[in-house]
Amino acid sequence: MVKFYQTWCGHSIRLKPVWDHLAKDTHPSAFIANVDCGLSKDLCRSYHITKYPTLRYYIDGTEYDYDDALSIESLREFVDANLVVQCNPLFDLGLIRRDERKTSLKSQSNGESTTCSQRALNFAKKWIEKTLNEREKESERLEGLLANSDSTTAELRSWMRERRDMLKVIGDHQLHSSSDEL
């Protein structure tokens, strides 16, 4: 996701701390960048930037304008839902088929598709065996930590969000599996 801006623009100035926070907190699989149109006039002209700030994002090589809310919560929710490659431990552990998986990364080591780090898989293995109640408590604990995480590092906040999201994936899968059996 790219923010095209001008240093003299009041809207760009107001968005700067929110954008900087988003860039600091976003999972490394999503790219958050700035383009100063005062310094990069030709680039901004080639992208037909006429208002500031302009936010654009790219999915599979296609460019889209972001025209939604500019709060940190809205931007983070959008980036997490649309741009971050989500870890799916169920696929990586062989518990669901490839066509049930939404996103993947190419593993550098063996060429097979994978969505999770080894650390994430270890976490998932532990929590797959737990009860729904235990997973919900852990998810609530992580939400509480995230709500009060201003002093924690971006890497730790990202890991907390990834764990929370994996618990949701595990819970959703087990809920669907149970309803399929009925």
Side-chain angles (χ1 to χ4, degrees), residues 23 25 51 53 61 66 71 86 103 110 112 136-137 150 166-168 173-174 178-179:
D25 264 358
K51 63 180 181 146
Y66 175 84
S71 68
Q86 300 295 328
T103 57
N110 59 13
E112 293 179 14
E136 285 176 349
K137 283 183 181 178
D150 291 339
M166 282 190 290
L167 291 171
K168 181 173 180 356
H173 175 71
Q174 290 178 340
S178 298
S179 65

Side-chain angles (χ1 to χ4, degrees), residues 6-182:
Q6 284 280 2
T7 56
W8 50 259
C9 170
H11 297 294
S12 295
I13 292 167
R14 280 191 295 283
L15 182 59
K16 184 181 182 342
V18 170
W19 193 259
D20 290 348
H21 189 72
L22 179 69
K24 184 178 96 174
D25 264 358
T26 297
H27 188 274
S29 68
F31 182 73
I32 306 296
N34 293 296
V35 175
D36 181 342
C37 290
L39 298 175
S40 303
K41 291 177 182 148
D42 292 338
L43 177 66
C44 293
R45 217 174 286 124
S46 72
Y47 280 94
H48 309 288
I49 305 300
T50 58
K51 63 180 181 146
Y52 307 101
T54 294
L55 304 182
R56 299 243 171 103
Y57 62 97
Y58 304 84
I59 298 175
D60 296 328
T62 303
E63 178 180 77
Y64 302 92
D65 285 326
Y66 175 84
D67 292 321
D68 216 341
L70 299 177
S71 68
I72 186 63
E73 295 81 14
S74 296
L75 285 164
R76 182 181 296 130
E77 183 177 311
F78 175 82
V79 169
D80 286 348
N82 297 286
L83 304 178
V84 169
V85 176
Q86 300 295 328
C87 170
N88 190 332
L90 302 173
F91 170 74
D92 290 351
L93 294 171
L95 300 174
I96 62 172
R97 294 186 317 272
R98 179 178 300 272
D99 58 351
E100 294 178 68
R101 173 182 60 116
K102 290 185 180 175
T103 57
S104 70
L105 289 173
K106 279 291 190 183
S107 170
Q108 299 292 326
S109 59
N110 59 13
E112 293 179 14
S113 291
T114 185
T115 61
C116 302
S117 67
Q118 188 60 50
R119 176 169 109 170
L121 289 175
N122 292 339
F123 174 84
K125 286 177 193 174
K126 170 184 170 185
W127 285 95
I128 284 173
E129 301 302 320
K130 303 277 184 173
T131 66
L132 174 64
N133 189 40
E134 290 172 312
R135 283 194 304 275
E136 285 176 349
K137 283 183 181 178
E138 177 65 5
S139 187
E140 288 172 11
R141 185 184 78 82
L142 290 167
E143 284 293 346
L145 290 171
L146 284 165
N148 299 304
S149 66
D150 291 339
S151 63
T152 60
T153 65
E155 182 182 352
L156 182 56
R157 285 190 301 274
S158 177
W159 175 231
M160 286 188 284
R161 280 195 300 276
E162 186 175 12
R163 288 183 293 174
R164 177 204 58 202
D165 294 346
M166 282 190 290
L167 291 171
K168 181 173 180 356
V169 166
I170 292 166
D172 288 350
H173 175 71
Q174 290 178 340
L175 180 66
H176 291 355
S177 295
S178 298
S179 65
D180 289 346
E181 292 171 5
L182 296 176

